[in-house]
Each structure stands twice: as structure tokens, then as C-alpha cells.
Amino acid sequence: MLSSYLVNNTNFLDDISSWEDSIRVAAQPLLDKGNITSQYIEDMINNVNTNGSYVVIVPGIAMPHARNEGGVLKTGVSFLKLKNPVLFPDEKAVQILFVLAAEDNEGHLDLISDLSSMLIDEDIMRKVKEVESEDEIIELIQFAEEQDI
């Protein structure tokens, strides 16, 4: 369940200096817990540099991730909410980042699919943008999971 991955893996900040730093800060809880190595963070940044802002899945929300080439030790998800948006390439303003780290490609696709299907729901997406605490984001995602959104 997606919600269980977020326990103690969230950050809330006012500002951040660059989209690269937003990925670093969003991924920090996973790095601290040993889910990922610093190489995985660089892989996610390189992904955006190479492929553009495809990680911005809906306006305001990015889902940075990369292929596991040794940088993911254990599957995990982390969350960062910014009060003021940071600009990703192509002038895409982002306030929310969900960092996905999956041990294998199948798990990776499952995480992306689960999160994407939740965010397609307008009500859920709006509420994600309004959360103010870790408890709120976890409760919201648990609700979405229970509703099978």
C-alpha cells in the first residue's frame, strides 16, 4: 500500500532554490533510511536533464524516478510539498513531489500506476495540493486506497 511507504518520509518547505534541489530534498528520507543511494538521486536528476519534465504528471505534481541500476536497495516512496512552486524544465511549476524508488521495474510500474490513478481523480488531486502534514497526506492516500480510486 502506497500510504504505508510515506510514514516518516515526508517534508514540507516554503521554498527551494532549484528543481534539482527539490528532487534531492524529496528523496532525502529514502537516502537516510537506506532505501536508495545518492547515485539514485543523481539518476533521477539526469533523467529530467535527458528526457525533460515528463516526471510532471499533472500540473503542479512531479513523480521523479529512475531505473534501478543499483541505486535502489529497498522499495520506497517519499513526499515533498513546497509552499512556493519550483520551476522544472519547460517552465513547469511544481509544488508537490512524490519520489518513487522501486527495486524492480514491475514494482516501479505498479507504484506509478497506483499514484497516477489516484491523481486522475480531481478531488483527490485537489486535496493532495492542500495537505499540511504527514498525517493528512497519509490519511488522504489511505482513503483513496480504501475507495479503490
Side-chain angles (χ1 to χ4, degrees):
M1 302 270 284
L2 209 48
S3 54
S4 61
Y5 285 119
L6 290 174
V7 176
N8 298 323
N9 284 344
T10 64
N11 276 307
F12 293 80
L13 297 173
D14 286 345
D15 296 288
I16 206 140
S17 58
S18 67
W19 67 264
E20 294 94 338
D21 279 347
S22 73
I23 291 176
R24 288 186 189 102
V25 169
Q28 192 65 45
L30 298 178
L31 185 64
D32 291 346
K33 286 184 171 178
N35 291 67
I36 61 171
T37 66
S38 56
Q39 183 58 51
Y40 185 70
I41 296 173
E42 295 312 308
D43 289 346
M44 288 188 288
I45 291 169
N46 291 338
N47 251 0
V48 175
N49 281 324
T50 304
N51 303 309
S53 293
Y54 77 100
V55 297
V56 182
I57 53 160
V58 294
I61 301 178
M63 214 189 298
H65 57 277
R67 214 173 246 290
N68 184 9
E69 294 176 0
V72 179
L73 309 172
K74 189 176 165 214
T75 297
V77 179
S78 59
F79 173 87
L80 169 65
K81 180 180 179 192
L82 301 168
K83 192 173 197 175
N84 300 305
V86 64
L87 284 182
F88 271 63
D90 307 319
E91 301 296 303
K92 293 192 176 182
V94 169
Q95 277 185 280
I96 292 184
L97 292 90
F98 284 95
V99 171
L100 306 181
E103 291 173 72
D104 58 51
N105 282 337
E106 190 177 306
H108 205 79
L109 295 173
D110 288 345
L111 288 174
I112 291 171
S113 170
D114 290 352
L115 199 49
S116 298
S117 61
M118 266 181 223
L119 296 173
I120 287 169
D121 182 291
E122 290 287 325
D123 196 41
I124 298 289
M125 186 175 72
R126 182 181 50 74
K127 288 178 178 171
V128 164
K129 291 179 177 180
E130 293 171 357
V131 297
E132 298 289 335
S133 70
E134 179 172 294
D135 288 343
E136 284 181 35
I137 187 64
I138 290 172
E139 283 172 23
L140 178 60
I141 291 179
Q142 280 174 337
F143 170 78
E145 288 168 338
E146 287 164 9
Q147 305 302 309
D148 206 22
I149 294 175

